[in-house]
């Protein structure tokens, strides 16, 4: 017969009491003069039984409370890993701030050196506005390259055609995977200078790892015929990816892994959104938007802890893309089936999107001395300019045109306009064949192949056909006199981050010409990839 611990104690005590009573009777007959002594012992034993019974009841209540608490924890954990409902699958911001965080994973089993220092998992946050609840988080790790940095070109390409709405629904995390404080701060300052609006709005964050995060790489085992330096490079890369993914995980609904030497296809954000929404099942683990390495791999945020932990289990053994494939094999492949069956099963977890949305453009690898000319064949030919039907005009410029990239072709939508570095006083002029009522304008500089060739510190000016009742606070000024040029043009706008766009008030009347006036010298070439002048109907 089995007894619970508390119940067994009570039963044994009661048996002891019965035994004591039987003996008590015998003793009464033999030793009548000791009745009072044994009666006192019996009463004392009875009192102890009552105490034991009450203690057993109290511990039973405590055990029930603990079990209820465990059930509550299990239910909460199940809710964090259960399948999305139909509502969850929709592309919308979710509050995931309470999801798993870095310290809750078993990182210390795989990285025991982290126990040596308290803040070994605390990221150095260079700047952030604390944005969370977005649909898409983009992770971009970057390191110091000896030859050339591609980071600014990558960021330019990602932001190039994003709408204001898309910028409000995403977060770009630049992970500077270096412990040199001066280098990290230099990258941050460059980003702040190039993208002040994106930084201020909270769209971009810059973080770096604490020095204690990295283990001693001197004793790494060489495998697969790779040199010690290459093994160290790929091992550190695995750690960098994992740190970035775990930091980004609670900030959005989806996480996409990018690199610092890529360009993006126009409309990539909307394409990612459409593909994610169209998935009828929640069984997928990866949506692939590039066939190269670890570029353009999209994960559900709720799956990121599992994926990152798998990487950390084997971070010293294989490159990241190999580990990702092994994870798929572990989840769905049957060792008793052939390779074709395994491949079909993995295709249910890894869904490939074509054409690719990201192209690798870096030539000099982050591994010292390595030249990498990898190209995604599914990316296709990139659109370098946008054409529009503009009103008849004579176009002139003081800029020195590069090869066949003339202003005339750009205005007609045949090609982009490309010129050597501007200086103060240079201009681009569109003189209309007759006065026109202009509704608005758009001038976009740079393109995905040359995102850095932007027009900066340049004003948009119009020449009015007649004097007009100029609106107060035009361009945000109390009076319009400061917006008048010496030759009679009116300043109506400025290039911001390579783009000038605006509406022209009807009160200005008809317009004879639009001029782009360059106010300062530029270190880069000027490339106009889009010219759009809208006539008021």
């Amino acid at each position: 017969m089995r007894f619970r611990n508390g119940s067994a104690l009570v039963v044994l005590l009661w048996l002891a009491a019965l035994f004591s009573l039987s003996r008590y009777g015998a003793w009464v007959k033999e030793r009548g003069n000791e009745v009072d002594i044994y009666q006192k012992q019996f009463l004392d034993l009875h009192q102890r039984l009552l105490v034991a019974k009450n203690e057993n009841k109290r511990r039973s209540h405590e055990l029930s409370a603990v079990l209820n608490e465990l059930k509550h924890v299990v239910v909460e954990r199940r809710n964090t890993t259960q399948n999305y409902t139909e509502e969850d699958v929709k592309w919308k911001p979710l509050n995931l701030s309470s999801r798993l965080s870095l310290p809750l994973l078993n990182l210390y089993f795989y990285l025991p050196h982290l126990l040596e220092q308290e803040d070994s998992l605390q990221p150095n946050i260079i700047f952030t506005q604390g944005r969370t609840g977005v649909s898409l988080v983009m992770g971009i790790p970057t390191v110091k390259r000896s030859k050339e940095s591609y980071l600014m070109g990558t960021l330019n390409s990602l932001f190039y055609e994003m709408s204001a709405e898309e910028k409000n629904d995403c977060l770009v995390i630049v992970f500077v995977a270096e412990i040199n404080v001066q280098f990290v701060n230099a990258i941050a300052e460059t980003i702040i200078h190039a993208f002040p609006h994106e930084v201020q709005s909270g769209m971009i964050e810059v973080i770096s790892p604490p020095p204690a995060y990295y283990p001693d790489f001197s004793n790494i085992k060489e495998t697969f015929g790779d040199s010690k330096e290459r093994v160290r490079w790929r091992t550190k890369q695995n750690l960098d990816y994992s740190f970035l993914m775990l930091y980004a995980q609670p900030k959005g609904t989806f996480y996409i892994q990018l690199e610092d030497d890529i360009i993006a296809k126009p409309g990539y954000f909307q394409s990612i959104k459409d593909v994610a929404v169209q998935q009828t099942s929640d069984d997928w683990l990866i949506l692939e938007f590039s066939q190269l390495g670890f570029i353009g791999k999209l994960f559900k945020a709720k799956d990121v802890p599992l994926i990152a932990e798998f990487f950390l289990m084997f971070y010293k053994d294989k490159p990241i893309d190999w580990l990702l494939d092994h994870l798929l094999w572990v989840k769905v492949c049957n060792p008793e089936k052939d390779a074709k069956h395994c491949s079909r099963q993995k295709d249910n977890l890894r869904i490939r999107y074509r054409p690719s949305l990201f192209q690798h453009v870096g030539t000099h690898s982050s591994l010292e001395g390595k030249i990498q000319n990898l190209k995604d064949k599914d990316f296709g030919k990139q659109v370098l300019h946008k054409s529009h039907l503009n009103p008849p005009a004579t176009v002139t410029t003081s800029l020195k045109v590069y090869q066949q990239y003339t202003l005339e072709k750009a205005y007609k939508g045949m090609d982009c306009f490309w010129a050597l570095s501007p200086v103060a006083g240079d201009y681009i002029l569109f003189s209309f064949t007759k006065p026109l009522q202009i509704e608005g304008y758009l001038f976009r500089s740079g393109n995905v192949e040359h995102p850095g060739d932007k027009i900066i510190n340049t004003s948009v000016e119009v020449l009015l056909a007649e004097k007009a009742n100029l609106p107060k606070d035009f361009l945000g000024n109390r009076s319009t006199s400061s917006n008048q040029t010496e030759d009679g043009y009116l300043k109506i706008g400025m290039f911001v981050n390579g783009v000038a766009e605006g509406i022209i008030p009807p009160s200005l009347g008809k317009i004879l010409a639009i001029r782009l006036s360059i106010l300062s010298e530029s270190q880069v070439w000027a490339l106009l990839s889009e010219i759009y002048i809208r006539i008021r109907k």
Side-chain angles (χ1 to χ4, degrees), residues 397-417:
T397 181
S398 63
L399 293 168
K400 186 176 180 179
V401 179
Y402 176 66
Q403 294 184 359
Q404 77 277 11
Y405 301 100
T406 64
L407 185 58
E408 290 83 356
K409 287 183 179 179
Y411 192 71
K412 294 177 181 178
M414 300 167 60
D415 208 334
C416 58
F417 168 65

Side-chain angles (χ1 to χ4, degrees), residues 227-501:
S227 65
K228 190 167 187 176
E229 183 57 31
R230 187 181 180 91
V231 174
R232 179 194 178 280
W233 170 73
R234 77 181 195 218
T235 299
K236 178 181 177 296
Q237 196 175 59
N238 289 344
L239 291 173
D240 292 339
Y241 284 128
S242 302
F243 191 99
L244 174 56
M245 292 174 71
L246 291 172
Y247 173 82
Q249 188 270 334
K251 297 179 179 291
T253 307
F254 297 96
Y255 173 82
I256 190 166
Q257 183 65 57
L258 301 175
E259 296 289 355
D260 66 346
D261 56 353
I262 63 167
I263 57 174
K265 191 179 287 293
Y268 74 95
F269 192 96
Q270 185 64 43
S271 296
I272 292 173
K273 174 179 177 179
D274 293 341
V275 173
V277 170
Q278 289 167 7
Q279 300 308 310
T280 57
S281 170
D282 190 49
D283 294 337
W284 63 272
L285 188 69
I286 310 165
L287 296 182
E288 287 191 331
F289 296 97
S290 171
Q291 67 170 343
L292 298 179
F294 204 35
I295 298 172
K297 304 302 185 281
L298 181 83
F299 310 100
K300 297 185 287 287
K302 72 186 183 80
D303 292 331
V304 165
L306 165 71
I307 297 165
E309 188 168 2
F310 187 85
F311 290 160
L312 290 172
M313 287 182 192
F314 308 103
Y315 76 96
K316 293 184 288 188
D317 300 312
K318 292 185 178 182
I320 197 79
D321 49 337
W322 292 12
L323 292 179
L324 188 60
D325 187 72
H326 289 328
L327 174 59
L328 299 177
W329 192 97
V330 169
K331 288 183 73 70
V332 296
C333 289
N334 186 341
E336 298 177 357
K337 302 287 185 178
D338 59 18
K340 288 184 178 180
H341 180 270
C342 178
S343 180
R344 289 194 299 270
Q345 294 299 110
K346 287 192 291 187
D347 286 343
N348 293 326
L349 296 185
R350 179 177 52 201
I351 300 172
R352 179 83 173 88
Y353 174 83
R354 289 181 175 84
S356 296
L357 299 181
F358 306 98
Q359 177 65 287
H360 178 261
V361 296
T363 302
H364 300 282
S365 171
S366 56
L367 175 62
E368 182 73 26
K370 180 184 177 184
I371 301 298
Q372 190 160 273
N373 291 312
L374 290 176
K375 295 296 179 185
D376 191 329
K377 296 179 180 179
D378 291 335
F379 187 72
K381 189 176 181 180
Q382 186 69 323
V383 178
L384 302 180
H385 69 279
K386 274 191 174 182
S387 60
H388 296 282
L389 183 61
N390 291 307
T394 300
V395 297
T396 55
T397 181
S398 63
L399 293 168
K400 186 176 180 179
V401 179
Y402 176 66
Q403 294 184 359
Q404 77 277 11
Y405 301 100
T406 64
L407 185 58
E408 290 83 356
K409 287 183 179 179
Y411 192 71
K412 294 177 181 178
M414 300 167 60
D415 208 334
C416 58
F417 168 65
W418 207 1
L420 275 60
S421 301
V423 296
D426 277 330
Y427 66 87
I428 299 171
L429 180 62
F430 308 95
S431 300
F432 304 118
T433 56
K434 63 178 182 179
L436 296 173
Q437 284 275 0
I438 304 298
E439 181 181 43
Y441 60 89
L442 169 63
F443 301 101
R444 189 186 302 276
S445 62
N447 61 24
V448 291
E449 283 193 357
H450 302 279
D453 288 352
K454 290 183 176 182
I455 294 176
I456 60 173
N457 199 18
T458 297
S459 62
V460 181
E461 304 164 353
V462 294
L463 182 62
L464 304 181
E466 299 176 356
K467 287 186 177 180
N469 294 321
L470 301 180
K472 294 180 180 179
D473 301 327
F474 198 72
L475 289 183
N477 297 316
R478 290 183 179 274
S479 96
T480 57
S481 59
S482 61
N483 294 319
Q484 295 278 4
T485 66
E486 292 181 358
D487 56 356
Y489 280 79
L490 175 68
K491 296 178 183 178
I492 62 170
M494 290 289 294
F495 274 76
V496 178
N497 199 20
V499 178
E501 184 175 13

